[in-house]
Amino acid sequence: MFDEAKAQRAVEFIRCLKHTKGRWRGQAFDLLPWQETIIRDVFGTVKEDGFRQYNTAYVEIPKKNGKSELAAGVALYMTCGDNEWGAEVYGCASDRQQASIVFDVAVDMVDQCPALKKRIKPVMSVKRLVYKPTNSFYQVLSAEAYTKHGLNVHAVIFDELHSQPNRELFDVMTKGSGDARTQPLFFLITTAGTDRHSVCFEQHQKAEDILCGRKIDLTFYPVIYGASDDADWTSEEVWHQANPSLGHTIDIGKVRNACMSARDNPAEENIFRQLRLNQWVKQSTRWMQMEKWDACAFPVDEGELLGRECYGGLDLSSSIDITAFMLVFPPRDDTEKYVFLPYFWIPEENMMRRVRRDHVPYDVWEKQGVLETTEGDVIHYGFIENFIDNLGKKFRIKEIAFDRWGAVQMVQNLEGLGFTVVPFGQGFKDMSPPSKRLMELVLEKNIAHGGHPVLRWMMDNIFIRKDPAGNIKPDKEKSTEKIDGAVAAIMALDRAIRHGGSTGSVYDERGILSF
């Protein structure tokens, strides 16, 4: 049901407020069409008993579209205009400073509205606005979630949900905290993030499922403005689709400049995509230029490699995670490329749970034959040892480089099978030269990887750490998804460059280029 009077009441309340920033300061808050649609839908859609149907509104939109002002207007309405005695309205974010952004906008709005100013008492020491007629308040909360149990929440304004370091505060504020209220509201506003295991991405997935008709939740109101993953991020038409306030609160010239900068510096591309187009990217700064990587998808025929000399890289990760083994075949002359032949394993019993949790198509990859499973809920190392032993009968594996962590027993077993196994440090000293050389070979299109989908996914996940001397290494902790195959590839490439091929080692001929 739709109650026009209730929708209009919320709209009119916000229209009585004034803007607080830039050239709009002091002007009446005339809602833009997308903002008014949200307000009308959230506050005008009711159940048969007349109370609001939606108790959660998820609004995901690029930066600078006016979401903070909208959130401040909603916070003030829930505090002063919702006819709730003793309403408790909280502003939450990843830290107190972030949560204060919307609050400070609300304070400025109150200062510019005489009717509210004489009815609201600010208590700035604790960042609280008290609405005296109903003894209600709006207050900023810090992230110490363990102290927040027992709140009687009427509304929560969650700003930049994607920045939450974990789900603790979100769960405390939204799970049962509003049960004593007749129509609580959880207003979630955010830009896209980078962590696909976060509570924000969980809400994003739910919103997408509802919008696409895959899921029904009559209490959840989803709004997502953004470009699709395959959209042309340089297209102004795409910018307008993703930014409903473009031309109003956003200067098109500034977006053009940001796009030009991202085109000139590929490291800025993901930042542009995330903040300007609201795309969920792997990390804010991408290391591997994926269009360059994709240009190296030259066919790889395992049969044509039989009997050839190669070098291995083994990344065991943990027993419940992905194990990666990479073979790198060095070129035998100037006409050949470095050939990458990857293998991946995952425990069979936890695969579907990981598909649902991580939103990664492990099951599809298994059916495609590019990922194998081992019995049980942990990696079966004996199976992998036998697999590598069989590979040794097909190819001339000269060396296998391995990460020292957790690999002692398998290393001993592989040595017992006749393989030469060498430890490979994961610090800057060992990882930097082959990492830089990998990028160089990709840019030269001097690698053939066959477009392997699991390896591509991992290359796209890499976050690089750099030391003051300019050395680099992949960072598993900062990379938002798995990079085990990329690490195995870097280790194997190092051994191949040092020892393989008729052209000798480029490490000996000249230094490593920096990127």
Side-chain angles (χ1 to χ4, degrees):
M1 297 173 55
F2 190 79
D3 189 323
E4 175 61 30
K6 290 188 175 182
Q8 190 63 26
R9 173 182 167 83
V11 169
E12 291 300 330
F13 179 93
I14 294 176
R15 283 176 177 169
C16 290
L17 304 173
K18 292 183 178 180
H19 284 287
T20 65
K21 304 292 184 183
R23 68 176 186 273
W24 294 283
R25 176 176 170 78
Q27 296 183 21
F29 193 167
D30 290 327
L31 292 165
L32 295 173
W34 70 272
Q35 294 172 323
E36 183 166 341
T37 296
I38 291 173
I39 296 302
R40 287 188 175 279
D41 287 350
V42 169
F43 292 98
T45 306
V46 297
K47 300 176 290 186
E48 291 185 358
D49 59 9
F51 293 117
R52 277 192 296 273
Q53 174 179 310
Y54 299 115
N55 60 31
T56 301
Y58 178 81
V59 181
E60 184 180 301
I61 193 167
K63 62 177 289 188
K64 302 303 181 184
N65 275 276
K67 62 180 183 295
S68 294
E69 302 256 333
L70 180 65
V74 170
L76 288 174
Y77 182 76
M78 294 299 293
T79 306
C80 311
D82 206 35
N83 295 323
E84 181 79 9
W85 181 266
E88 297 180 18
V89 179
Y90 296 98
C92 300
S94 57
D95 55 52
R96 190 175 180 84
Q97 182 177 0
Q98 180 66 47
S100 297
I101 292 175
V102 174
F103 178 83
D104 290 343
V105 172
V107 170
D108 204 348
M109 286 178 167
V110 170
D111 283 341
Q112 296 184 73
C113 180
L116 289 180
K117 190 172 184 178
K118 69 180 181 181
R119 292 172 173 84
I120 288 180
K121 177 185 177 182
V123 187
M124 299 306 293
S125 61
V126 292
K127 294 214 175 273
R128 174 183 287 200
L129 295 177
V130 179
Y131 183 61
K132 292 179 287 187
T134 60
N135 197 30
S136 301
F137 65 81
Y138 167 38
Q139 180 173 347
V140 170
L141 282 185
S142 57
E144 290 79 21
Y146 59 86
T147 67
K148 304 302 179 291
H149 292 281
L151 301 178
N152 189 1
V153 172
H154 180 54
V156 176
I157 312 299
F158 247 108
D159 190 19
E160 297 298 5
L161 184 61
H162 78 275
S163 296
Q164 283 295 307
N166 54 57
R167 64 177 306 125
E168 188 175 10
L169 180 60
F170 179 84
D171 285 344
V172 167
M173 298 306 296
T174 62
K175 308 301 183 187
S177 62
D179 287 354
R181 303 288 183 175
T182 54
Q183 47 180 4
L185 177 64
F186 307 109
F187 197 74
L188 318 176
I189 57 173
T190 188
T191 54
T194 60
D195 185 358
R196 293 177 182 248
H197 304 304
S198 64
V199 65
C200 186
F201 192 73
E202 176 186 296
Q203 299 300 306
H204 167 87
Q205 285 290 108
K206 182 175 182 178
E208 274 200 337
D209 288 344
I210 293 172
L211 289 170
C212 295
R214 295 188 294 264
K215 184 178 291 185
I216 296 176
D217 185 343
L218 298 180
T219 68
F220 191 97
Y221 181 74
V223 177
I224 298 178
Y225 282 97
S228 61
D229 290 341
D230 58 354
D232 178 5
W233 62 276
T234 65
S235 167
E236 294 197 10
E237 182 180 353
V238 171
W239 302 348
H240 280 278
Q241 293 170 356
N243 293 272
S245 299
L246 191 58
H248 299 280
T249 63
I250 302 174
D251 182 355
I252 185 69
K254 292 182 179 179
V255 182
R256 289 182 183 130
N257 291 337
C259 181
M260 288 176 60
S261 181
R263 294 181 73 167
D264 293 339
N265 182 7
E268 295 182 13
E269 179 185 330
N270 271 14
I271 298 176
F272 183 88
R273 287 174 175 267
Q274 177 192 358
L275 300 182
R276 298 289 187 176
L277 299 184
N278 210 45
Q279 293 178 326
W280 281 80
V281 296
K282 299 294 185 180
Q283 54 269 328
S284 295
T285 303
R286 170 184 278 166
W287 179 64
M288 180 58 69
Q289 301 174 41
M290 294 312 295
E291 68 277 6
K292 301 294 185 182
W293 176 262
D294 292 339
C296 295
F298 303 106
V300 174
D301 186 342
E302 187 172 314
E304 294 180 356
L305 299 171
L306 295 177
R308 273 189 56 177
E309 180 180 293
C310 60
Y311 296 80
L314 177 64
D315 191 330
L316 291 179
S317 191
S318 69
S319 61
I320 61 173
D321 219 328
I322 298 174
T323 287
F325 183 65
M326 174 68 68
L327 289 178
V328 172
F329 297 78
R332 294 168 295 187
D333 55 49
D334 291 340
T335 67
E336 292 187 336
K337 306 177 186 299
Y338 285 88
V339 178
F340 283 23
L341 195 58
Y343 302 92
F344 300 96
W345 297 271
I346 193 173
E348 182 177 22
E349 288 189 10
N350 68 22
M351 180 179 69
M352 293 311 300
R353 183 168 69 250
R354 291 168 61 104
V355 169
R356 293 189 296 269
R357 184 195 69 194
D358 301 347
H359 308 288
V360 176
Y362 299 111
D363 54 338
V364 175
W365 289 336
E366 183 198 22
K367 292 176 182 177
Q368 292 174 343
V370 295
L371 172 76
E372 295 200 36
T373 58
T374 65
E375 289 186 11
D377 56 3
V378 297
I379 287 290
H380 192 300
Y381 289 150
F383 177 88
I384 295 174
E385 291 165 8
N386 291 334
F387 190 95
I388 294 176
D389 188 29
N390 289 329
L391 288 178
K393 298 171 183 176
K394 298 162 61 176
F395 312 113
R396 294 168 56 206
I397 304 177
K398 305 292 288 183
E399 287 183 354
I400 297 176
F402 71 96
D403 176 3
R404 297 179 182 87
W405 185 86
V408 176
Q409 187 60 54
M410 181 177 283
V411 166
Q412 292 176 352
N413 294 342
L414 289 175
E415 287 177 334
L417 293 171
F419 292 101
T420 299
V421 188
V422 295
F424 199 96
Q426 301 299 294
F428 290 109
K429 176 179 175 292
D430 291 328
M431 294 298 288
S432 185
S435 296
K436 290 181 176 180
R437 182 58 177 148
L438 171 63
M439 178 63 81
E440 186 179 64
L441 290 172
V442 169
L443 296 178
E444 293 172 351
K445 298 175 69 172
N446 202 15
I447 285 177
H449 54 66
H452 195 286
V454 184
L455 181 59
R456 184 193 190 281
W457 172 65
M458 292 182 174
M459 285 293 176
D460 196 19
N461 293 337
I462 297 176
F463 178 91
I464 286 291
R465 179 179 292 180
K466 182 180 292 187
D467 72 3
N471 297 307
I472 65 173
K473 68 171 185 174
D475 189 329
K476 284 190 174 184
E477 293 184 1
K478 292 289 184 68
S479 299
T480 54
E481 302 277 4
K482 302 303 176 185
I483 63 170
D484 311 271
V487 171
I490 289 169
M491 292 191 293
L493 178 63
D494 179 86
R495 309 319 296 173
I497 291 173
R498 290 181 185 277
H499 304 295
S502 61
T503 58
S505 170
V506 297
Y507 286 5
D508 298 329
E509 295 172 7
R510 55 164 168 76
I512 301 298
L513 297 184
S514 297
F515 296 93

